[in-house]
Amino acid sequence: MIMKGKKGVILGVANEKSIAYGIAKACAEQGATIAFTYLNDALKKRVEPIAAEFGSSSLVYPCDVSKPEEIKTLKESLEKDLGEIDFIVHSIAFAPKDGLSGRFHNITKEAFDIAMDISVFSLIEVTRELKPLLSSNSSILTLTYYGGAKYIPNYNLMGVAKAALEMTTKYLAEDLGKEGIRVNAISAGPIKTLAAAGIGDFRFMLKWNEAHSPLKKNVSIEEVGNSGMYLLSNLSSAVTGEIHYVDSGYNIMGMPAVDFSGEKPTIAWNGTDK
Ligand SMILES: NC(=O)c1ccc[n+]([C@@H]2O[C@H](COP(=O)([O-])OP(=O)(O)OC[C@H]3O[C@@H](n4cnc5c(N)ncnc54)[C@H](O)[C@@H]3O)[C@@H](O)[C@H]2O)c1
């Protein structure tokens, strides 16, 4: 039981398709005690049964990260119910729909501010508010995507937010390392979740990743969950500030693999349904 005796909070479960659910499952299977948060009353109904599944019925709290007072109240609740904690999972992102398709230069300041506040600044604010509860051997994990490192069609505003999130991970890692707090990010391959539904042509991204990744498959929330559990556990005690790709290796590809066996060179998949 790799996580036995570890206590932590997971922000970002919306349903059982959420990446945060995969991380919760992997951590619970390895003996962790997990507190959960939900965004609003509609999602509360979804998160409560999930918390119950992991023996955490009494550890479910509201937390809309755009409301600083809710983060403060979360800290008080966790302090009362769990005392010290060993890990935080930040699996949260949001951008208004018009920032996730269309021409990039049309992004509005309003959309930009919202995306950066919820998807980036919230990692800093949650870390700062919950820091007094963190043990001297603790781990923080956030979730990013390759669209923060390279251009990905339609990812637009979220790409800029993920770039900022990845640097936030590194600056936080340096800042908190002296106190025994590690901060890492997983860059997950595309997965069909609620958040992903907002990204234009997402099905194409899934097919492209499957066809052109070295492992020729998409990733599951269980696979991201297992890697997340490793980064939250003592197994990764010398790892911090890392952007760890869990994407079937897609990020190493500079060009799709080419089949030269026919009359003309062809790429593994030509953009139509298999
Ligand atoms: N699905 C993918 O393809 C993919 C790939 C790489 C990275 N990610 C990242 O993984 C993370 C989790 O996303 P997911 O794909 O599991 O989708 P999801 O919709 O299941 O999770 C997103 C979560 O963000 C929460 N959220 C949004 N606004 C919030 C706010 N103001 N306060 C608190 N919570 C808020 C939602 O309630 C939800 O639980 C995100 O950071 C996403 O960008 C997703």
Side-chain angles (χ1 to χ4, degrees):
M1 295 288 250
I2 293 162
M3 296 293 280
K4 196 165 166 43
K6 297 256 188 210
K7 294 179 282 182
V9 59
I10 298 187
L11 296 91
V13 175
N15 55 38
E16 46 296 300
K17 294 198 164 131
S18 295
I19 292 175
Y21 176 88
I23 297 171
K25 189 161 178 275
C27 290
E29 279 169 4
Q30 291 299 327
T33 300
I34 305 164
F36 292 87
T37 66
Y38 57 85
L39 168 61
N40 52 32
D41 283 346
L43 287 174
K44 181 181 181 191
K45 292 190 197 89
R46 299 233 174 207
V47 177
E48 277 178 341
I50 289 171
E53 183 187 332
F54 299 121
S56 301
S57 298
S58 60
L59 300 172
V60 189
Y61 313 97
C63 188
D64 178 339
V65 294
S66 68
K67 298 177 181 159
E69 65 281 8
E70 291 200 6
I71 303 178
K72 283 190 196 313
T73 307
L74 174 66
K75 185 246 171 186
E76 284 160 19
S77 306
L78 290 173
E79 188 165 27
K80 183 164 72 66
D81 297 341
L82 286 179
E84 197 174 63
I85 59 172
D86 306 289
F87 65 90
I88 302 170
V89 176
H90 172 277
S91 188
I92 290 172
F94 178 77
K97 209 161 172 48
D98 59 1
L100 296 172
S101 61
R103 299 286 301 271
F104 184 80
H105 72 274
N106 287 334
I107 288 170
T108 61
K109 177 167 164 49
E110 194 195 354
F112 189 91
D113 288 349
I114 292 171
M116 294 299 274
D117 183 40
I118 295 175
S119 314
V120 186
F121 182 68
S122 64
L123 176 63
I124 301 172
E125 197 163 30
V126 166
T127 297
R128 186 179 53 246
E129 291 302 329
L130 301 191
K131 186 170 167 281
L133 307 183
L134 285 170
S135 69
S136 57
N137 175 25
S138 53
S139 179
I140 299 173
L141 177 67
T142 189
L143 271 299
T144 183
Y145 177 60
Y146 192 49
K150 300 278 181 182
Y151 168 81
I152 297 283
N154 293 316
Y155 206 59
N156 294 14
L157 176 52
M158 194 49 79
V160 177
K162 290 306 191 193
L165 182 71
E166 292 182 14
M167 282 316 293
T168 298
T169 302
K170 295 180 191 189
Y171 276 89
L172 278 176
E174 195 290 328
D175 186 24
L176 303 178
K178 53 183 108 41
E179 289 157 280
I181 303 167
R182 298 183 293 110
V183 189
N184 291 290
I186 284 183
S187 184
I191 303 175
K192 210 171 158 210
T193 62
L194 212 57
I199 299 161
D201 294 330
F202 188 75
R203 284 181 61 229
F204 182 86
M205 281 166 75
L206 280 173
K207 284 174 187 260
W208 185 268
N209 204 84
E210 180 183 350
H212 299 304
S213 60
L215 295 178
K216 299 281 178 271
K217 65 176 191 112
N218 280 310
V219 302
S220 66
I221 60 167
E222 285 76 20
E223 288 169 318
V224 179
N226 287 335
S227 299
M229 189 275 292
Y230 152 76
L231 287 170
L232 296 172
S233 77
N234 294 344
L235 291 176
S236 59
S237 56
V239 181
T240 195
E242 194 68 23
I243 311 301
H244 179 60
Y245 282 89
V246 182
D247 66 345
S248 298
Y250 179 77
N251 73 96
I252 69 157
M253 301 296 287
M255 186 177 168
V258 178
D259 178 0
F260 289 102
S261 62
E263 224 169 86
K264 282 186 187 167
T266 51
I267 58 169
W269 172 66
N270 66 9
T272 56
D273 279 352
K274 276 190 262 179

